[in-house]
């Protein structure tokens, strides 16, 4: 039995177009066919909802502040898909916008930067005055893959390169930015995640069998985790708030949880899997959580050390504990 809480903030049977966490996963937002909603993650609590004249396909929060980036989506987009609308929720209205020649695939925030990702190009701006800093051409990037560290002391940006399996790591912390190019996988990159300090980068390829962990300062591979032997569509990667865990969600309906506390130790298997990184594959997940059939979902760690929050596009919120597959009595629906 799965106890549920039905929220009354949206229209009945309304489609959810987007779901995503803020930088520290303390909140999440969903975009719908008629606006967007923001929640506290754990414990689950609706903070506010905004009814608009159309659909919102991307909602990017800046921590728990009033500034939110919106991009139109759905059957009747509220804003053009090639515009990023900067929404001030104190004023309850747009305060600025960025226009592009093609549709926006994703947006990333930190307190001093905003990154906008298009199909084949990424733009970096100062957040204070929206002046452009740089742009980069990338491989085709329909998922808008890009990760940006929120750490004020480690300004790291990672994004797709121009070759298959390649990731570019830029560090803007000093007056002389550095750049590293790593070959993370032999196949196309499918998902990426940075820890909150910006010191570790996790990647998964379209094959979905291996997760690789890199040091962003050196570009060196430090660990390789095996999710399974069969290919899978990796939905989401997320680090724990203290980089103690890494969770991996996939279309197998499983969240694999890996301990990073001993990430420099030799892997549990000495077998090499033919990838020229000089590291060993074979470390399997320390914990697994099985998620009922919900379609696409993302995950992050909850407020307690051993809890996991799962959010799905079908409107389901679930919370699990690591030491059992039993849910805590708090699931929820974002839309009736």
């Amino acid at each position: 039995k799965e106890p549920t809480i039905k929220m009354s903030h949206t229209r009945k049977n309304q489609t959810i177009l987007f779901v995503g966490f803020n930088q520290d996963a303390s909140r999440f937002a969903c975009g719908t066919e008629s606006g967007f909603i923001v929640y506290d993650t754990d414990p689950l609590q609706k903070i506010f909802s905004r009814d608009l004249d159309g659909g919102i396909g991307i909602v990017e929060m800046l921590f728990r502040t009033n500034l939110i980036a919106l991009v139109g989506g759905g059957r009747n987009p509220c804003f053009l898909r090639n515009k990023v609308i900067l929404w001030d929720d104190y004023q309850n209205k747009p305060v600025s916008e960025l226009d592009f020649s093609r549709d926006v695939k994703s947006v990333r925030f930190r307190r001093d930067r905003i990154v906008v990702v298009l199909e084949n190009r990424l733009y970096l701006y100062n957040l204070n005055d929206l002046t452009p800093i740089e742009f980069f051409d990338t491989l085709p990037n329909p998922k808008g893959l890009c990760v940006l560290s929120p750490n004020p002391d480690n300004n790291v940006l990672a994004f797709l390169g121009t070759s298959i399996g390649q990731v570019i790591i830029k560090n803007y912390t000093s007056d002389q930015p550095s750049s590293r190019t790593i070959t993370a996988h032999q196949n196309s990159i499918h998902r990426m995640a940075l820890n909150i300090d910006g010191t570790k980068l996790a990647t998964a390829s379209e094959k979905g069998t291996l997760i690789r962990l890199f040091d962003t300062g050196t570009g060196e591979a430090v660990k390789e985790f095996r999710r399974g032997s069969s290919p899978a569509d990796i939905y989401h990667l997320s680090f724990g708030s203290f980089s103690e865990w890494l969770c991996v969600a996939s279309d197998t309906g499983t969240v694999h949880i890996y301990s990073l506390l001993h990430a420099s130790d030799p892997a549990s298997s000495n077998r090499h899997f033919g990838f020229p990184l000089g590291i060993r594959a074979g470390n399997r997940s320390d914990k697994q959580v099985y998620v009922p059939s919900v379609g696409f979902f993302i995950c992050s760690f909850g407020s307690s050390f051993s809890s996991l929050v799962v959010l799905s596009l079908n409107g389901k919120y679930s919370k699990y504990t690591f030491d059992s597959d039993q849910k805590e009595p708090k699931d929820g629906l974002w839309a009736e």
Side-chain angles (χ1 to χ4, degrees):
K1 184 178 179 180
E2 298 181 7
T4 62
I5 301 171
K6 291 187 176 181
M7 307 297 182
S8 59
H9 54 271
T10 58
R11 298 169 188 170
K12 192 173 183 179
N13 299 323
Q14 184 169 232
T15 301
I16 294 172
L17 305 175
F18 171 91
V19 59
F21 293 102
N22 68 350
Q23 288 79 7
D24 60 5
S26 62
R27 283 187 174 175
F28 68 91
C30 58
T32 73
E33 291 285 2
S34 64
F36 65 98
I37 311 103
V38 173
Y39 294 88
D40 274 344
T41 302
D42 186 20
L44 175 65
Q45 181 179 356
K46 176 186 167 185
I47 304 304
F48 62 84
S49 62
R50 299 292 177 253
D51 292 328
L52 303 174
D53 296 327
I56 298 297
I58 297 174
V59 186
E60 176 72 4
M61 295 173 285
L62 179 59
F63 289 96
R64 303 168 70 91
T65 71
N66 55 304
L67 189 61
I68 301 171
L70 304 175
V71 178
R75 296 185 301 269
N76 178 35
C78 182
F79 308 110
L80 294 178
R81 300 175 194 267
N82 65 336
K83 288 189 175 185
V84 176
I85 304 299
L86 295 182
W87 178 276
D88 184 338
D89 205 66
Y90 287 162
Q91 300 183 53
N92 197 27
K93 67 177 185 179
V95 291
S96 190
E97 65 182 49
L98 293 166
D99 295 336
F100 300 92
S101 60
R102 300 195 176 187
D103 289 356
V104 175
K105 300 301 182 181
S106 69
V107 182
R108 297 290 180 263
F109 264 143
R110 54 179 279 136
R111 295 188 188 276
D112 56 354
R113 298 285 190 270
I114 179 171
V115 177
V116 180
V117 184
L118 310 186
E119 177 83 24
N120 292 93
R121 183 167 284 185
L122 174 148
Y123 293 88
L124 176 65
Y125 297 88
N126 273 315
L127 182 56
N128 288 338
D129 54 10
L130 298 183
T131 56
I133 299 174
E134 283 189 278
F135 71 86
F136 305 95
D137 292 325
T138 70
L139 284 173
N141 188 11
K143 297 181 183 297
L145 299 180
C146 170
V147 286
L148 182 65
S149 168
N151 182 359
D153 299 319
N154 196 24
N155 188 349
V156 172
L157 169 67
F159 54 92
L160 296 186
T162 55
S163 299
I164 290 176
Q166 188 181 81
V167 177
I168 309 298
I169 302 174
K170 303 282 290 187
N171 192 317
Y172 295 93
T173 306
S174 70
D175 293 335
Q176 295 182 334
S178 64
S179 180
R180 298 184 184 278
T181 300
I182 62 173
T183 300
H185 297 269
Q186 292 175 320
N187 299 306
S188 297
I189 304 296
H190 198 64
R191 298 289 172 192
M192 294 191 294
L194 277 175
N195 66 342
I196 198 166
D197 293 333
T199 58
K200 295 183 177 66
L201 172 71
T203 65
S205 76
E206 61 184 0
K207 189 175 180 182
T209 54
L210 297 175
I211 311 301
R212 293 195 166 102
L213 191 66
F214 297 87
D215 183 312
T216 61
T218 65
E220 294 181 357
V222 296
K223 196 65 175 179
E224 186 172 85
F225 299 107
R226 175 162 290 279
R227 184 210 54 80
S229 58
S230 300
D233 184 358
I234 302 299
Y235 286 160
H236 195 70
L237 304 173
S238 183
F239 287 88
S241 57
F242 299 103
S243 302
E244 72 278 29
W245 301 104
L246 175 69
C247 63
V248 179
S250 73
D251 66 347
T252 63
T254 305
V255 179
H256 291 260
I257 301 172
Y258 303 89
S259 173
L260 304 183
L261 296 178
H262 305 290
S264 60
D265 290 350
S268 58
S269 167
N270 289 332
R271 178 183 175 188
H272 288 263
F273 284 81
F275 196 79
L277 285 175
I279 59 174
R280 302 175 184 219
N283 264 20
R284 296 185 179 272
S285 54
D286 296 272
K287 304 288 182 181
Q288 295 183 26
V289 172
Y290 298 96
V291 179
S293 179
V294 294
F296 180 84
F297 65 94
I298 63 175
C299 57
S300 190
F301 295 93
S303 58
S304 66
F305 185 75
S306 60
S307 64
L308 183 80
V309 171
V310 174
L311 312 173
S312 70
L313 273 182
N314 74 355
K316 194 64 173 289
Y317 170 107
S318 300
K319 184 177 175 181
Y320 297 81
T321 56
F322 291 9
D323 54 359
S324 73
D325 292 332
Q326 299 297 316
K327 294 185 185 66
E328 297 183 9
K330 193 155 193 177
D331 288 356
L333 294 178
W334 306 334
E336 292 183 342

